[in-house]
Amino acid sequence: SDSTREAHYQYYNKLSEQAYRENTRKFEYWIDLLELEHENIVAALEWVRDDIEKRLQLAGFLGWFWLEHDRRRIALEYLKDSENCPAEASLTKARALTYHAFYLFFSGDTEGLSKVDSSLELWDNLENSEDKVKSLYYFVPVLCFKQDFKTAREVAMKMEEIALELNDKYLLLQSRTALLCVYVFQMKVDLAEPLAAQNIKDAVALNDNMMKPQILHFYADCALMRKDFKEAEKRFSLAMIGYLDNTNQHGGVQELLGMLFAISGQGRYKKALRLLGAGDAKNDEIGSSFFKLLWWGDWFEEYVNGARKAVGEEKAAQYEQEGRQMGFENAMEYALDFEKD
């Protein structure tokens, strides 16, 4: 029994490591295969639950997948106590601590901030590698939320330096998307928008469908910052389709929020509030919520609460309820019919 379980663990650990290495190059292949094998992977994690190094090694290879497939609770369960991984397993520890910090921070747990500092320090002491670029990518949005733009930009530039050193176009695109993230958070549209347009072209050329929806999201942010509401609506719709094609429902619902901001900006309040209701219903189903931090919180106030005020409390409640009862697939069709109100 023990030898069989060990062989099972080793097989899925090797499989997950290969998926981690190739996740941008062969995104659809690996996302589908890991989904198919997920129960086996969880069984392997359970069998090594008390062996912290083995558990964190496998969980660290899966951090990106759990993010793409809305499995935040599972991620937090198997990445827990990442800081207690043996020091001699520094690469395993750094990778697991990175994802753990990211998940904690975005679930609203302030413990994530201390882990961010610890994991950044670990990576500073490790050699330049593909692992380093992939992990540093997750620090950039956290640093931007802390409004530490200087460090965020330094991390993005370090990523680019390593990607050029490794002559890896996929890592280079990831590093330039990290820089794009910094520009967007600083609301530097003149710098962000042309970089986003170029990154989209590069993602298409590389067939990198992991990075593409994230880039499209930032590109849509730029249009909304410029208050080009019709263009923003179209760009957010493309990002939404990209996330949903990747079966990332959380990402898809966030892009729906961007769409309804743009629709509300056009004065089409009824449709915006119906989409809000549909998004709320989907969030309830998947255990998520709409993103309302920093300027997205300001946009929620301007475009959602502004729409509610414009139509009145009674009508707003009616339209949101209509959206809740629509069903998510019908709501997507409704959202993507740009002429329909």
Side-chain angles (χ1 to χ4, degrees):
S1 176
D2 288 346
S3 63
T4 301
R5 288 179 175 182
E6 176 64 18
H8 182 277
Y9 167 82
Q10 292 297 340
Y11 175 84
Y12 283 102
N13 187 63
K14 185 177 180 181
L15 183 81
S16 299
E17 180 178 8
Q18 188 179 354
Y20 172 78
R21 302 286 173 214
E22 298 177 355
N23 59 6
T24 53
R25 292 166 175 79
K26 297 171 66 177
F27 181 75
E28 291 88 349
Y29 173 80
W30 284 114
I31 207 88
D32 290 344
L33 185 58
L34 292 180
E35 180 63 31
L36 184 68
E37 293 280 17
H38 195 249
E39 288 184 15
N40 267 316
I41 291 167
V42 170
L45 285 162
E46 277 298 304
W47 288 336
V48 296
R49 178 183 279 274
D50 296 329
D51 186 328
I52 188 169
E53 186 175 338
K54 281 187 172 180
R55 169 166 54 82
L56 290 176
Q57 184 178 61
L58 178 51
F61 289 141
L62 294 163
W64 70 275
F65 169 74
W66 285 327
L67 184 65
E68 293 292 334
H69 266 218
D70 305 310
R71 287 194 167 97
R72 288 160 174 74
R73 293 190 187 97
I74 287 177
L76 286 169
E77 175 62 26
Y78 291 111
L79 288 166
K80 67 184 179 184
D81 54 32
S82 54
E83 68 279 6
N84 296 328
C85 189
E88 59 270 20
S90 55
L91 186 56
T92 293
K93 182 174 183 176
R95 193 186 300 117
L97 195 59
T98 296
Y99 283 116
H100 195 195
F102 184 84
Y103 280 109
L104 283 171
F105 181 82
F106 281 97
S107 64
D109 191 329
T110 53
E111 184 189 354
L113 291 176
S114 63
K115 292 187 191 300
V116 166
D117 294 337
S118 299
S119 46
L120 264 174
E121 188 177 333
L122 270 175
W123 285 112
D124 282 342
N125 295 319
L126 290 170
E127 291 181 2
N128 290 350
S129 64
E130 173 191 10
D131 280 270
K132 195 167 188 174
V133 177
K134 287 186 171 184
S135 291
L136 289 177
Y137 182 76
Y138 291 94
F139 291 111
V140 173
V142 176
L143 291 165
C144 286
F145 276 113
K146 292 170 65 181
Q147 300 187 58
D148 184 356
F149 298 119
K150 180 177 181 293
T151 305
R153 193 174 190 284
E154 287 171 357
V155 170
M157 298 310 292
K158 180 65 177 176
M159 289 170 62
E160 183 174 31
E161 177 189 322
I162 299 169
L164 289 169
E165 181 184 312
L166 298 175
N167 193 28
D168 189 314
K169 292 180 180 178
Y170 290 89
L171 295 181
L172 188 60
L173 176 60
Q174 201 164 34
S175 70
R176 289 174 178 168
T177 304
L179 181 60
L180 171 60
C181 178
V182 179
Y183 289 154
V184 168
F185 270 78
Q186 291 179 297
M187 304 189 89
K188 293 183 176 180
V189 180
D190 291 346
L191 293 173
E193 198 156 22
L195 180 56
Q198 183 58 53
N199 283 4
I200 291 167
K201 289 179 184 176
D202 293 343
V204 170
L206 293 169
N207 194 32
D208 187 342
N209 291 320
M210 181 177 174
M211 296 305 302
K212 188 177 165 186
Q214 299 173 44
I215 301 166
L216 285 167
H217 168 82
F218 291 133
Y219 195 43
D221 278 342
C222 291
L224 199 57
M225 286 176 190
R226 291 191 288 99
K227 294 191 180 295
D228 185 345
F229 297 119
K230 284 189 176 292
E231 182 64 20
E233 179 185 6
K234 290 175 183 176
R235 291 182 187 180
F236 278 120
S237 76
L238 292 173
M240 181 180 72
I241 291 167
Y243 277 119
L244 294 175
D245 282 349
N246 293 346
T247 64
N248 184 334
Q249 295 183 82
H250 174 78
V253 177
Q254 296 307 315
E255 302 312 309
L256 181 66
L257 180 60
M259 278 193 79
L260 73 89
F261 286 163
I263 291 165
S264 175
Q266 297 169 47
R268 300 159 65 197
Y269 303 126
K270 177 164 60 174
K271 183 169 186 174
L273 292 169
R274 281 176 175 162
L275 293 178
L276 177 70
D280 278 334
K282 190 62 178 178
N283 277 330
D284 290 346
E285 179 189 322
I286 64 176
S288 185
S289 61
F290 278 134
F291 181 80
K292 300 177 188 174
L293 298 175
L294 298 182
W295 77 94
W296 270 65
D298 296 336
W299 284 348
F300 195 92
E301 178 63 32
E302 181 176 359
Y303 298 118
V304 172
N305 291 335
R308 286 168 171 161
K309 288 174 186 173
V311 301
E313 189 176 329
E314 186 177 336
K315 284 290 185 184
Q318 176 192 325
Y319 297 146
E320 288 177 49
Q321 186 59 30
E322 287 171 2
R324 278 186 164 274
Q325 293 172 346
M326 195 176 285
F328 195 64
E329 286 187 13
N330 290 333
M332 294 305 96
E333 288 182 21
Y334 178 49
L336 294 171
D337 187 340
F338 299 124
E339 304 304 319
K340 187 172 183 178
D341 286 321

